[in-house]
Amino acid sequence: MVIGPTPIQDEQRSETGFLAVLRGHGIEPLLVTGESDLDSLGADQMPALALINLGSMSGSEVGDCLRQCSDLKLPVIALVPDGQVPGVDPAMEVDDFVVSPPRPDELVARARRVLRRTGPGDGADLIRVGDLVINAANYEVSVKGRRASLRFKEYELLLLMATSPGRVYSRETLLNRIWGYDYLGGTRTVDVHIRRLRSKIEDADHSFIETVWNVGYRFRDVERGS
């Protein structure tokens, strides 16, 4: 006798599939099936949005998870099992709903809409360089919708260079501008912070900071392709 996959295995496989589709579109999701999924988040692991599985929790657990998401400033899409749609509270504080298991294309469209609506506005404090977004009003940085957790000096380095793309900054200039003339550390401090910054905002598809050998660094002028 051949034993096929159980309903639970089918659901897990479906979850893995639509999460992978979101990641393939540059959106890092967090599937929340209980409070522990949010409790385990580190500052450097912040996703772009949370998918709250209403079918896996009681009403009180859902409320607790939504409060945690609010504290973390995480946009929320509720995954509603098909049979539970009529009972969904319309006053629930989520950014959108989708019937679960969701169609991947619908979920991607809703996720993009939520991120566009809940993301930083296009005011004077917003700097966009390709997929990189710097919100100078609240010190938030994201790459393709995923937040980057930067230390303050890393953020200051990024903001300084990103506001003058193409300009070459010597290590000495960066040290004086960011740490001040009275700082006793050497230029090696700049190299360490640049390396950490790159590890948080760059990957195989995103390169923003270039090394100018024997001089220092510059932020790539994406529009000019330099």
Side-chain angles (χ1 to χ4, degrees):
M1 183 175 74
V2 178
I3 301 177
T6 67
I8 293 177
Q9 289 172 328
D10 282 338
E11 183 178 355
Q12 290 173 338
R13 191 173 301 158
S14 175
E15 289 176 353
T16 302
F18 67 70
L19 294 177
V21 169
L22 283 174
R23 293 189 181 105
H25 284 79
I27 301 170
E28 183 62 32
L30 174 67
L31 180 63
V32 180
T33 59
E35 292 182 66
S36 60
D37 295 317
L38 291 162
D39 292 337
S40 61
L41 275 180
D44 59 345
Q45 301 171 318
M46 198 60 62
L49 55 77
L51 304 174
I52 302 284
N53 188 346
L54 300 187
S56 65
M57 293 179 280
S58 67
S60 61
E61 289 175 316
V62 170
D64 290 339
C65 286
L66 290 177
R67 280 188 287 275
Q68 287 191 61
C69 287
S70 178
D71 291 341
L72 294 169
K73 298 181 180 179
L74 267 181
V76 174
I77 295 178
L79 303 180
V80 187
D82 193 13
Q84 297 182 21
V85 172
V88 172
D89 181 0
M92 185 180 297
E93 295 186 0
V94 298
D95 296 289
D96 206 346
F97 295 89
V98 65
V99 175
S100 180
R103 296 199 335 259
D105 56 345
E106 179 186 359
L107 183 58
V108 169
R110 290 183 179 273
R112 284 175 168 168
R113 184 167 176 264
V114 164
L115 291 175
R116 189 178 300 116
R117 190 171 66 243
T118 60
D122 291 322
D125 292 324
L126 197 68
I127 300 170
R128 293 182 183 272
V129 184
D131 291 326
L132 176 72
V133 178
I134 305 170
N135 190 331
N138 58 16
Y139 308 102
E140 287 186 355
V141 175
S142 64
V143 180
K144 212 168 184 180
R146 179 168 184 172
R147 292 176 187 167
S149 179
L150 304 185
R151 296 182 178 181
F152 188 62
K153 293 300 184 185
E154 295 165 355
Y155 170 81
E156 286 190 306
L157 279 169
L158 176 61
L159 183 63
L160 173 63
M161 292 190 293
T163 52
S164 299
R167 173 181 173 179
V168 177
Y169 288 90
S170 70
R171 290 174 174 83
E172 291 78 10
T173 297
L174 291 172
L175 188 68
N176 291 331
R177 293 281 295 272
I178 303 302
W179 282 268
Y181 287 96
D182 297 330
Y183 182 71
L184 299 178
T187 55
R188 177 63 179 163
T189 298
V190 175
D191 295 331
V192 170
H193 279 74
I194 290 288
R195 184 171 66 248
R196 289 174 179 166
L197 175 59
R198 279 173 163 163
S199 72
K200 294 176 181 181
I201 65 171
E202 297 187 345
D203 55 31
D205 299 319
H206 301 92
S207 177
F208 299 108
I209 300 172
E210 295 180 331
T211 299
V212 180
W213 298 111
N214 298 322
V215 180
Y217 302 95
R218 69 176 176 179
F219 198 88
R220 292 182 61 238
D221 191 337
V222 175
E223 293 184 357
R224 296 182 182 179
S226 62

